[in-house]
Amino acid sequence: MSARVALAIIGGGASALAAALAARARGVAATVIAPAGADGCGLAYSTVDPLHRLNVCAARMSIVENEPHDFVAWLQSRDGKVQPQDYYPRAVYGEYLRQHWRTLSNVVAAEALALAAIQNGWRIQTTQGALDATRVILAIGVPPAQPLIPVSDARYRLDGYAPRDAWPRRGLLIGSSLTAVDIALSWCAARADAELTVISRHGLWPLAHNDLPRHGQIALDIRSPRHILRSMRRAIATGVDPCAAVDSLRDATVELWTGFSRADRAQFLRHARSRWDSARHRMAPHVAQALAALQADGRVRLVAGRIRGIAADGDLAVDWQPRGRARIETLRVDEVVQCTGFDGGLTSAGSPLLRSLLDAGLAQADAHRLGLALDRKQRVIGAGGRAHATLFALGALGRGSLWECIAIPEIRSSAAAMVVA
Ligand SMILES: Cc1cc2nc3c(=O)[nH]c(=O)nc-3n(C[C@H](O)[C@H](O)[C@H](O)COP(=O)(O)OP(=O)(O)OC[C@H]3O[C@@H](n4cnc5c(N)ncnc54)[C@H](O)[C@@H]3O)c2cc1C
């Protein structure tokens, strides 16, 4: 590798694919740097479990910016009976992404290790040599999660999606997001006698699409995070669906978030985030029904509280404190799975590339350490506070700076803007 390219896209998941397709559509010569074996599916769409569904309906999941019906058309080409409003298995969506990935011609199988500024561009050090590019898009997802609890025991798992031979009977899932729902469904399908406890600070499951009757309308009060939270609570208490209100703000969320002061955002993260996320990242209806059945059978229970410690004796003995109580309870399980997803915060452990960007001052963490500091165009802001004109980050690394940037519809349109910005 030695030539200079107009655009280098680093990553092998759906974000990198969206950027590569957008570049091709605009005639921008792009090279993708992705680990060997990457296929555009990344973390979210590599699952083979049919119980793991998309949480966005098929009609909105095209990966091609100017072809909004591309995914539905692809589904139709395989099977005429397509429901565009349905939530398909993520494994099916993975096949769709793979098919597009195979059409990319400039993919270098390598890991990017470091970036350095050169005249009018960037030099990317990779495991296969160096590549110069005028413009770079970081589409690297987030680095692997780090343990929330200091316990070194193989029965504390950080990746619930990793293939495994067997599931034990008693489990604890930390976090009650969509990831925890996925793992609970897989676990209980694999093992009829599974007994799972799910713990999260607020004890809230994601709401389901069409969970609450859509009667009444509510406009969220967006003057401050506290007002948002109050109006969401009011909506729920009066039986009005807060999801419609959250959805109606979807196009305005970045505006709203970037307009908040740093203190407002911190307040939102502390007080409103759980409610917001549960209304924003919702379960597909089939998933919600399956989870409700498991809860009704007593195989899955959700508690609100905090883990205080885990001791490994014969079992894993988990000390946890129920929310609002002083006493500590102990739960004995065979395995703990950390399902906190993107919520763990930025860490460069496990990503030499991120470490090098941060160490060299080419990037800095955002104020809430959820990802990198980015400007509105998703340009990476260096330690000196200035955005680099030609270095962008796509996907979850922008969460703290933009908030609404991790789902395919946003990734697709941001990718298209970046390749020509
Ligand atoms: C479980 C789950 C389910 C989801 N479901 C939906 C859904 O239904 N609908 C929706 O719209 N969104 C969903 N999302 C949101 C999801 O974030 C996006 O849809 C999208 O998959 C993000 O992909 P990505 O490429 O940004 O990150 P990732 O999928 O994490 O991919 C990152 C890629 O970059 C590679 N990489 C990392 N570092 C380097 C490096 N230094 N050099 C080269 N390559 C590197 C990695 O190996 C990987 O291939 C889901 C997310 C999760 C986690």
Side-chain angles (χ1 to χ4, degrees):
M1 268 199 290
S2 60
R4 185 182 181 105
V5 296
L7 172 65
I9 300 164
I10 304 175
S15 294
L17 176 59
L21 296 176
R24 189 169 67 194
R26 284 158 182 78
V28 176
T31 294
V32 178
I33 300 169
D39 56 4
C41 294
L43 176 66
Y45 311 111
S46 295
T47 175
V48 294
D49 190 332
L51 296 170
H52 299 168
R53 296 272 177 155
L54 294 174
N55 58 39
V56 175
C57 68
R60 307 197 63 229
M61 286 296 288
S62 167
I63 194 71
V64 189
E65 171 59 1
N66 287 326
E67 294 175 38
H69 306 298
D70 189 61
F71 179 47
V72 170
W74 178 84
L75 287 168
Q76 255 150 4
S77 71
R78 296 166 20 121
D79 170 5
K81 301 184 302 294
V82 174
Q83 302 290 340
Q85 296 308 317
D86 212 344
Y87 300 84
Y88 280 78
R90 297 209 300 277
V92 171
Y93 189 71
E95 278 180 55
Y96 161 74
L97 295 179
R98 248 177 244 120
Q99 189 159 321
H100 274 298
W101 184 268
R102 284 194 289 268
T103 69
L104 302 180
S105 45
N106 289 324
V107 181
V108 174
E111 187 190 346
L113 300 172
L115 217 60
I118 57 170
Q119 196 173 17
N120 296 325
W122 302 92
R123 175 154 300 155
I124 307 163
Q125 287 301 338
T126 82
T127 46
Q128 300 297 324
L131 175 77
D132 292 350
T134 306
R135 172 187 303 244
V136 173
I137 297 178
L138 304 171
I140 56 176
V142 285
Q146 299 299 306
L148 291 175
I149 316 289
V151 50
S152 79
D153 190 298
R155 292 170 296 172
Y156 186 101
R157 287 179 179 252
L158 292 169
D159 179 5
Y161 294 108
R164 52 156 84 214
D165 295 330
W167 299 81
R169 187 171 65 80
R170 299 166 307 168
L172 174 70
L173 307 185
I174 303 178
S176 57
S177 64
L178 292 169
T179 299
V181 176
D182 278 348
I183 305 307
L185 295 188
S186 296
W187 199 321
C188 293
R191 203 164 165 146
D193 61 350
E195 264 176 38
L196 304 182
T197 301
V198 180
I199 184 167
S200 65
R201 275 198 298 147
H202 296 269
L204 291 174
W205 290 118
L207 293 171
H209 286 282
N210 301 328
D211 210 8
L212 298 170
R214 295 216 166 211
H215 70 267
Q217 278 296 325
I218 173 182
L220 289 184
D221 181 344
I222 57 174
R223 273 174 294 163
S224 75
R226 207 173 280 282
H227 287 94
I228 293 179
L229 180 61
R230 213 175 285 150
S231 51
M232 287 179 82
R233 283 206 180 113
R234 202 167 47 238
I236 292 165
T238 53
V240 175
D241 184 356
C243 300
V246 169
D247 287 353
S248 72
L249 286 178
R250 189 157 173 169
D251 292 339
T253 305
V254 174
E255 204 67 53
L256 192 63
W257 184 254
T258 51
F260 280 164
S261 66
R262 183 175 167 164
D264 278 345
R265 291 187 208 167
Q267 197 184 53
F268 177 92
L269 293 171
R270 227 177 8 259
H271 299 297
R273 178 185 189 166
S274 304
R275 285 265 176 223
W276 179 278
D277 279 350
S278 84
R280 170 66 191 82
H281 303 288
R282 305 201 284 278
M283 290 185 272
H286 333 55
V287 169
Q289 283 158 16
L291 179 66
L294 294 175
Q295 286 187 277
D297 285 353
R299 296 170 68 195
V300 174
R301 71 167 178 142
L302 173 64
V303 298
R306 280 175 187 272
I307 309 273
R308 293 300 179 197
I310 299 181
D313 46 32
D315 298 324
L316 290 177
V318 181
D319 286 339
W320 70 283
Q321 186 172 17
R323 187 177 167 84
R325 305 265 173 79
R327 70 164 197 281
I328 304 286
E329 300 193 0
T330 302
L331 176 72
R332 304 193 78 81
V333 292
D334 305 310
E335 191 174 298
V336 175
V337 183
Q338 185 174 307
C339 302
T340 42
F342 300 134
D343 296 343
L346 182 71
T347 161
S348 57
S351 173
L353 176 61
L354 265 185
R355 201 163 48 239
S356 96
L357 287 167
L358 294 166
D359 288 351
L362 291 171
Q364 57 172 307
D366 64 71
H368 312 287
R369 297 200 61 82
L370 292 177
L372 294 183
L374 307 180
D375 72 2
R376 282 293 311 273
K377 292 184 172 170
Q378 295 185 229
R379 297 181 302 191
V380 174
I381 297 175
R386 294 209 16 216
H388 304 288
T390 53
L391 178 60
F392 299 81
L394 187 58
L397 279 179
R399 188 121 206 248
S401 299
L402 303 161
W403 194 245
E404 189 68 76
C405 59
I406 61 170
I408 293 295
E410 284 77 28
I411 286 174
R412 195 178 57 212
S413 57
S414 302
M418 277 174 200
V419 300
V420 291

